[in-house]
Amino acid sequence: MNLHEYQGKSILASYGVSVPKGLIAESPEKAVDAATEIQMVTGTDKWAVKAQIHAGGRGKGGGVKIAKTLDEVKEFADQILGMQLVTPQTGPEGKLVRKVLIEQNIYYPGETEPQEFYMSVLLNRDQAKNMIIYSPIGGVNIEKVAEETPEQIFTEIIDPKVGLQPFQCKKVAFNLGLTGDAFKAMIKFVTALYNAYIGSDASLFEINPVIKTSNNRIFAADAKVVIDNNALFRHPNYEDMRDIYEEDPIEVEASRFDLSYVKLNGNVGCMVNGAGLAMATMDIIKLFGGSPANFLDVGGSASAKRVEEAFRIILKDPNVEAILVNIFGGIVRCDRVAQGVVDAYKNIGEINVPIVVRLQGTNAEEGKKLIDESGLEVHSAILLEDAARKVTEVLKK
């Protein structure tokens, strides 16, 4: 589950990570109220006005502005709220901005110049361990840094059985070139950041940039946080952080019926039971020249009603030109799936795309008989290879 910046920072702060004082606002007037309150607490005379969407590169699209007066806070909030913000991560359609984060200025003058670093915590799948990736070059595209100056990218591998060790935190601070108070502050920052990652069951914490202020304080100036959906039962308070407006509406609807659905860019709708079989189905569609339009796992106990809803969801995608149903009857019965196909045809009305159905396993013969006797224009197949070939054939026609 992706979080907004302000939500991620609230989790970070709860684990002792230093974040700028910030408040959320949904109108220009509320933005001014937030800026006034922040000024009273921190004494800041500048504020960051930041669009809250699930995408990076907001500044490049005009979604982050620095206000020097309360009038500018109102002006910038008015400009950003309601805009269709386009960034390299949103695609050309952009995303509608419904909230702005008003934050204290942390780039204030002092004894030294502020510095920007990059830091993230995530899983190293190759080693089955956690890792901290960091760089003394922050505030820019980290992929570009890795490509042009790979020697500026550092990694700390952390064994989850023993956790983050003090010497590793010191190594991070040293590689970032810090000394004195900033060195000590970074050690505390890294320790708290890793504790937040573990404690919140996150799959990613990315802070770009981490700021060393002019008086040697360390702040998370930004926060990209992704929470592992499988761990949400342990964090019921995180459920309210879900923003369905930032998700694909078809995926949101699928989740209401406990369907695992991910929209893709192809033209062949896929309905499969089991994640592994779904991946194999998409692969073989590509092998035969087609392009999958979605990943959809109806689950091991799919009822006729769930199959019908799966059809409705697939057909909401205007790019779908054919549907491949690939069911292996282990727990789920093939005749139940077949009944769902028949019901979908009857209840949805006219379906203008060809359907190829492959049923194997429990009650496969009964399922095939149901479809054959229904009078529907459904192509049946025995082998997965045959099903994929028939899909590409009907697409050509």
Side-chain angles (χ1 to χ4, degrees):
M1 181 176 73
N2 292 319
L3 300 183
H4 286 295
E5 176 189 357
Y6 77 95
Q7 295 169 327
K9 284 181 174 177
S10 69
I11 292 176
L12 289 172
S14 70
Y15 284 90
V17 179
S18 298
V19 299
K21 173 67 176 177
L23 294 170
I24 203 71
E26 298 180 4
S27 70
E29 293 74 23
K30 292 293 184 182
V32 173
D33 292 342
T36 302
E37 182 176 338
I38 292 169
Q39 185 178 47
M40 292 175 61
V41 175
T42 66
T44 186
D45 58 354
K46 294 179 183 177
W47 303 263
V49 183
K50 310 169 80 173
Q52 296 299 284
I53 61 171
H54 288 173
R58 293 168 294 165
K60 296 178 181 179
V64 178
K65 296 182 181 294
I66 303 300
K68 300 178 182 178
T69 66
L70 290 174
D71 286 339
E72 285 191 350
V73 170
K74 185 174 183 179
E75 176 187 347
F76 294 153
D78 189 45
Q79 292 174 6
I80 295 173
L81 285 166
M83 76 182 296
Q84 202 73 21
L85 181 56
V86 178
T87 81
Q89 295 184 13
T90 64
E93 69 280 0
K95 288 191 174 184
L96 178 64
V97 181
R98 294 179 170 83
K99 299 176 183 178
V100 290
L101 174 62
I102 311 300
E103 238 176 25
Q104 74 175 105
N105 171 46
I106 54 176
Y107 289 84
Y108 44 78
E111 298 176 0
T112 62
E113 287 295 318
Q115 290 179 264
E116 296 184 337
F117 310 117
Y118 171 89
M119 191 172 296
S120 62
V121 189
L122 64 161
L123 175 65
N124 184 312
R125 297 184 182 276
D126 291 336
Q127 299 190 36
K129 295 178 180 179
N130 297 318
M131 64 180 175
I132 298 176
I133 300 176
Y134 59 104
S135 173
I137 303 175
V140 296
N141 189 324
I142 194 63
E143 288 80 9
K144 185 176 181 181
V145 176
E147 179 181 350
E148 297 179 355
T149 55
E151 70 278 4
Q152 295 294 330
I153 303 292
F154 300 92
T155 302
E156 281 298 316
I157 301 297
I158 303 155
D159 189 333
K161 295 191 295 292
V162 298
L164 180 66
Q165 298 299 297
F167 79 89
Q168 293 179 297
C169 299
K170 293 177 182 178
K171 185 179 177 183
V172 171
F174 177 81
N175 285 336
L176 293 176
L178 299 175
T179 59
D181 291 339
F183 187 94
K184 297 176 183 177
M186 180 58 75
I187 291 174
K188 292 181 180 179
F189 182 91
V190 174
T191 302
L193 178 63
Y194 185 76
N195 289 340
Y197 172 80
I198 295 298
S200 63
D201 288 305
S203 56
L204 172 69
F205 270 13
E206 184 177 52
I207 316 298
N208 190 22
V210 175
I211 298 294
K212 181 197 80 69
T213 66
S214 58
N215 59 345
N216 295 317
R217 299 181 65 187
I218 304 296
F219 283 102
D222 195 9
K224 179 179 180 180
V225 177
V226 181
I227 302 297
D228 186 346
N229 285 1
N230 295 314
L232 285 176
F233 73 95
R234 299 202 292 203
H235 306 278
N237 54 316
Y238 291 174
E239 288 281 2
D240 294 336
M241 293 184 178
R242 183 185 181 191
D243 188 347
I244 61 173
Y245 295 110
E246 292 290 319
E247 301 177 26
D248 185 283
I250 302 179
E251 293 182 12
V252 173
E253 182 177 355
S255 68
R256 295 195 183 107
F257 296 98
D258 295 324
L259 296 169
S260 297
Y261 175 92
V262 179
K263 188 179 183 304
L264 303 173
N265 297 320
N267 58 355
V268 179
C270 304
M271 185 192 305
V272 191
N273 65 320
L277 185 58
M279 297 297 289
T281 301
M282 292 190 292
D283 286 344
I284 201 166
I285 287 172
K286 290 288 288 185
L287 182 65
F288 279 86
S291 181
N294 62 269
F295 168 100
L296 195 156
D297 177 8
V298 295
S301 57
S303 64
K305 180 63 177 175
R306 181 181 287 188
V307 171
E308 180 183 336
E309 293 300 336
F311 262 105
R312 292 181 185 275
I313 287 167
I314 290 174
L315 291 169
K316 286 180 182 292
D317 184 350
N319 296 324
V320 169
E321 298 175 3
I323 298 175
L324 172 56
V325 180
N326 183 22
I327 300 296
F328 178 77
I331 299 174
V332 65
R333 286 165 32 195
C334 291
D335 58 328
R336 182 179 294 174
V337 174
Q339 188 62 55
V341 174
V342 174
D343 291 346
Y345 251 108
K346 293 178 179 178
N347 298 333
I348 295 175
E350 185 177 2
I351 297 178
N352 296 318
V353 298
I355 298 175
V356 176
V357 178
R358 174 191 179 250
L359 302 175
Q360 285 293 318
T362 306
N363 290 359
E365 292 183 4
E366 290 86 345
K368 188 176 185 305
K369 184 179 179 182
L370 269 172
I371 291 176
D372 291 343
E373 294 178 354
S374 67
L376 305 177
E377 294 185 11
V378 177
H379 306 268
S380 61
I382 302 299
L383 301 177
L384 180 54
E385 180 179 338
D386 294 336
R389 185 180 288 108
K390 284 188 177 182
V391 165
T392 54
E393 288 175 356
V394 296
L395 283 175
K396 291 176 182 178
K397 292 179 182 180

